């Protein structure tokens, strides 16, 4: 990256106005650089070293952004859409001006972890088919998920278009048998609450699934085919009713974030992503 840049470009890139509007502000004396008022909008500055103040506000420059979003259902994983609200619409304007984009996609009705950044190199590495970066989901499934399904997933299942998936890791966390009057069994008590919440948020009304055994599962896949998790369960005669992504590589969904909420990644999290793809993990 070039060490210096034009003053008006820096302010424009950070969303403080159009280039022409920023030029006017500078000419009016609203900007100081290292404590001195400047009126040359083309002044070359080092944004990482020089102190730039606009109308009393010290400007913190950055050219990259890394956001962990808990994507809600009903929002599309895109930068813009003519019909639906996008994940970018959930962010603050001071971040959207940096032109971030979702790394991969989650279906409109799928919730969970979505990384949003403008770091194209990192995004490419995380999405590269050669890297096989694991993605972990939890899902409410209609139908009994048994050991035979775990074996099938571990070998790879054939999807409706003939594609054979890479081996995946499947674990049943909780089961609810309609013949047991809605009593759930689980590895841990917390999984029953998760399952109950998933039943509540499942798009289909509860009465339409009451005749099925319901399973709350965790699945880790190493690729990202279209509707892959849903199609994998269809391949073994089950149906996904609710889906949430909880992990991507070393990044985990922040449980403190409600659907629609987000936070910026910590430096440690960003570094873990960079080291992950450098090491060729996944």
């Amino acid at each position: 990256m070039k060490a210096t840049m034009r003053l008006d470009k820096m302010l424009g890139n950070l969303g403080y106005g159009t280039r022409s509007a920023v030029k006017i502000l500078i000419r009016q004396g609203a900007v100081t650089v290292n404590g001195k008022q400047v009126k040359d909008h083309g002044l070359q500055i080092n944004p990482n070293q020089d102190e730039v103040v606009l109308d009393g506000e010290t400007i913190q420059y950055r050219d990259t952004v890394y956001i962990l979003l808990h994507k809600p259902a009903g929002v599309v994983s895109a930068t813009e859409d003519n019909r639906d609200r996008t994940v970018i619409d959930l962010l603050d304007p001071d971040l959207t001006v940096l032109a971030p984009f979702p790394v991969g996609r989650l279906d409109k009705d799928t919730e969970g972890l979505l990384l949003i950044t403008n770091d194209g190199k990192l995004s490419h590495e995380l999405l590269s088919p050669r890297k096989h970066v694991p993605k972990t989901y939890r899902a409410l499934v209609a139908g009994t998920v048994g050991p035979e399904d775990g074996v099938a997933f571990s070998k790879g299942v054939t999807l409706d278009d003939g594609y054979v998936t890479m081996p995946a890791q499947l674990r049943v966390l909780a089961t609810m048998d309609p013949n047991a009057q809605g009593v759930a069994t689980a590895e841990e008590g917390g999984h029953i609450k998760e399952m109950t919440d998933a039943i509540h948020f499942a798009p289909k009304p509860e009465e339409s699934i009451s005749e099925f055994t319901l399973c709350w599962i965790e699945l880790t896949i190493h690729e990202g085919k279209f509707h892959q998790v849903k199609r994998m369960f269809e391949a073994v005669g089950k149906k996904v009713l609710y889906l949430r992504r909880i992990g991507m590589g070393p990044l985990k969904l922040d449980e403190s974030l409600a659907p629609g909420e987000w936070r910026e990644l910590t430096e440690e999290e960003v570094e873990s992503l960079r080291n992950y793809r450098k090491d060729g993990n996944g």
Side-chain angles (χ1 to χ4, degrees):
M1 176 183 170
K2 185 179 177 182
T4 64
M5 66 191 311
R6 289 170 58 105
L7 177 60
D8 57 357
K9 182 178 180 181
M10 171 193 166
L11 294 173
N13 287 353
L14 292 175
Y16 287 93
T18 63
R19 189 73 68 88
S20 59
V22 166
K23 288 179 180 178
I24 293 174
L25 287 172
I26 295 171
R27 291 196 198 105
Q28 291 175 341
V31 178
T32 64
V33 177
N34 298 327
K36 296 182 180 180
Q37 187 182 75
V38 296
K39 294 188 177 183
D40 177 9
H41 58 78
L43 178 69
Q44 290 287 328
I45 64 167
N46 185 321
N48 296 308
Q49 295 181 3
D50 294 323
E51 182 187 59
V52 178
V53 177
L54 171 63
D55 286 332
E57 176 188 354
T58 300
I59 307 303
Q60 300 296 327
Y61 181 75
R62 58 174 169 177
D63 56 2
T64 54
V65 63
Y66 304 89
I67 300 164
L68 172 61
L69 170 71
H70 186 164
K71 178 192 171 299
V75 176
V76 296
S77 301
T79 55
E80 57 183 22
D81 191 275
N82 293 328
R83 295 180 301 175
D84 296 307
R85 198 178 188 196
T86 75
V87 292
I88 303 301
D89 295 328
L90 301 176
L91 307 179
D92 290 346
D94 63 334
L95 295 179
T96 59
V97 74
L98 297 174
F101 52 85
V103 178
R105 65 186 301 276
L106 291 178
D107 296 337
K108 182 178 177 180
D109 62 349
T110 298
E111 298 184 355
L113 183 155
L114 187 65
L115 173 63
I116 300 176
T117 183
N118 58 357
D119 187 336
K121 183 177 180 181
L122 179 63
S123 174
H124 174 75
E125 292 289 344
L126 292 173
L127 295 177
S128 171
R130 296 180 294 103
K131 294 292 182 178
H132 307 311
V133 174
K135 304 168 188 68
T136 301
Y137 297 81
R138 288 192 175 169
L140 180 68
V141 178
T144 303
V145 180
E148 68 280 2
D149 297 310
V151 172
F153 279 32
S154 69
K155 295 179 179 178
V157 296
T158 303
L159 303 183
D160 48 14
D161 60 359
Y163 176 80
V164 179
T165 67
M166 293 179 62
Q169 294 72 53
L170 173 64
R171 187 160 64 108
V172 179
L173 304 176
T175 302
M176 183 176 291
D177 186 343
N179 297 321
Q181 298 181 339
V183 177
T185 58
E187 290 184 351
E188 302 172 11
H191 293 320
I192 293 180
K193 182 181 185 306
E194 283 187 334
M195 184 180 191
T196 303
D197 291 343
I199 292 172
H200 175 73
F201 288 111
K204 291 184 176 296
E206 187 173 340
E207 57 268 23
S208 69
I209 61 176
S210 60
E211 62 189 78
F212 295 98
T213 294
L214 300 178
C215 293
W216 181 240
I217 65 90
E218 183 171 294
L219 176 68
T220 299
I221 62 176
H222 301 267
E223 54 196 333
K225 300 299 181 183
F226 182 68
H227 293 321
Q228 181 170 336
V229 174
K230 297 173 184 176
R231 293 165 67 200
M232 288 179 73
F233 278 100
E234 288 173 0
V236 293
K238 280 83 175 179
K239 183 176 180 61
V240 173
L241 303 175
Y242 170 88
L243 185 62
R244 180 170 78 236
R245 183 159 70 185
I246 63 169
M248 179 180 183
L251 197 60
K252 307 303 178 187
L253 180 62
D254 188 332
E255 295 182 357
S256 69
L257 297 176
E261 293 183 340
W262 56 270
R263 65 168 175 80
E264 293 192 52
L265 265 61
T266 64
E267 291 183 7
E268 292 75 15
E269 287 172 326
V270 174
E271 194 62 26
S272 72
L273 287 170
R274 288 177 177 150
N275 291 335
Y276 191 86
R277 52 95 171 173
K278 285 180 182 177
D279 295 342
N281 291 312

